Amino acid sequence: MIEEGSKSSKSMVEKRQLFMEMRAQNFDVIRLSTYRTACKLRFVQKRCNLHLVDVWNMIEAFRDNGLSTLDHNAEINVSRLETILSSIFYQLNKRLPTTHQINVEQSIGLLLNFIVATYDSEGHGKLTVFAMKAMLATMCGGKILDKLRYIFSQISDSNGVMVYAKFDQFLREVLKLPTAVFEGPSFGYTEHSVRTCFPQQKKILLNTFLDVLMADPPPQYLVWLPLMHRLANVENVFHPVECSYCRSESMMGFRYRCQQCHGYQLCQSCFWRGHASGPHSNQHQMKEHSSWKSPAKKLSHAISKSLGCMPIGEPPHPVFPEAAERPQDLAHTTSTLESPSRLDEEHRLIARYAARLAAEASNSTQRQLIAELENKNREILQEIQRLRLEHEQASQPTPEKAQQNPTLLAELRLLRHRKDELERRMSALQESRRELMVQLEGLMRLLKDEEQKQASQTGSSPHSSPSHSASCTMPMPIRSTSAGSTPTHTPQDCLAGVGDDVLDAFSQGVPRNLRNDLLVAADSITNTMSSLVKELHSVDDGLEDEEENMRNGREKVSSLKHPGKRQSTPSF
């Protein structure tokens, strides 16, 4: 019981949804009932997506659902009406591009509830075929001329003459639309409606019917119908004129110009609500404009009229032949199937419908394939974007996680500074060793030259001391290991920085026991070289320790960058 009650309450909410949304638009503030009715019916038309269905598509839907063979007074139930609406909207979605598809189920529900509320207010669950045709043909999209031609084909006889009884029936059904939007007192049906539209009882053909219903102004009972079409045409029209009341410079839709107040113009919102300012009054005659013409165009238009280059009064519609071709109606095909030409016509009609259905099935398959390809393309693009983000994250130049540990960064900078300092010290020591070896080589050459000079003097003088000669020819135990070239500087330059004994040995004019002094210098250089070698060994040990510390620091950075994953130590 509770479940059934909830279903019924939900159904009542769905039935009232369209009317609740219409009331939320606040159309009742519009002063004139004609504009109020046209705005409400235009809202219903757009909310149910009927403005997307052309009148010719609606006629085709009638034929496809077998309504052309039924009598106008035949009744159909709500379930068949729902089937007809389903075919109309599903065919509409096939014609629309995939980016502009409509919600079919919602459109069917809203329109079905509106039709039932309009034409089955007593709840019988049935309505006539003619009522459904009149309502859908009036509320669908398309040109008003095409709609009136179709309506005339439904209310005229085989000779193309309007039947007053059928027109009266049409007025009964179509005037239920203003009543459904709570505008019945202004446009409700009365017994005098037909005589108001056609005051003289005479033969009404198609052209006369169009002249009356498309006149300016049209019959009072149907004045909202052409206005609803004009509303649809001016929804996106812009007028570069300032409203004299609200001072808005973006005037959209209709524009109204006072015929008495010079230059006084109102936007449609101010005019509909009856706003006025200054000397202007609501009693003044206003002219409705649905487009904007520049002063230059107005001048050329007036000149063309005055010169007779264009007709002063254009007809509201083209003139059709008296025996106009009526839309194809299959209501009487059963009595004329014996004719061979009629049979051929039926075969051609069936073949055309079969070809159309095949084309629609092919288009449906193509649309489904296109939709699948579009979905696959979107998935590929998402995968590409994901891979690109992963690549950018993996190719970061510095480990972001390591930046969160300032102590580790300071330790790394200190290790790098210590490494650079040790490398500079190592380079300086190597340069000093090279210079000492060059100096030693120079000293040895000087020693050899002096020994040769003393040997030559000994050979020429018999009083030379043998011990002194022997001591001068004693071989030198030190050999140069330097690969450098022989220096060309003086002996004093070669001895710079070697030791005090060597400097004393060469500072006097006559050398005192040169061999001993040179040996002392050689011993000094040897000691210096030993100390250099020891210091180099200590530097190498320090470098190894520093490299070990740097390797440990790099392993810490790697562990922060890739937890749980061991990587090779990068080179600095």
Side-chain angles (χ1 to χ4, degrees), residues 237-244 248-256 265-268:
V237 174
F238 174 75
H239 304 270
V241 181
E242 183 183 41
C243 178
S244 300
S248 174
E249 297 181 356
S250 57
M251 194 180 294
M252 299 291 293
F254 286 120
R255 174 172 55 91
Y256 299 90
Q265 301 187 85
L266 293 175
C267 63
Q268 68 176 20

Side-chain angles (χ1 to χ4, degrees), residues 313-355:
E314 297 181 358
H317 63 84
V319 179
F320 295 95
E322 292 297 330
E325 181 182 359
R326 302 177 60 201
Q328 197 170 25
D329 194 346
L330 304 181
H332 307 288
T333 54
T334 54
S335 61
T336 57
L337 287 179
E338 292 81 4
S339 173
S341 59
R342 189 67 175 178
L343 186 61
D344 294 338
E345 183 179 355
E346 292 298 323
H347 283 302
R348 286 195 299 269
L349 182 62
I350 294 173
R352 184 166 66 250
Y353 277 123

Side-chain angles (χ1 to χ4, degrees), residues 73-81 115-129 131-132 176:
N73 295 322
E75 293 183 340
I76 59 174
N77 54 26
V78 177
S79 61
R80 185 170 182 184
L81 174 61
I115 294 176
V116 171
T118 303
Y119 294 98
D120 188 27
S121 58
E122 297 179 359
H124 296 300
K126 294 182 179 181
L127 68 158
T128 63
V129 173
M132 190 193 66
K176 290 180 181 179

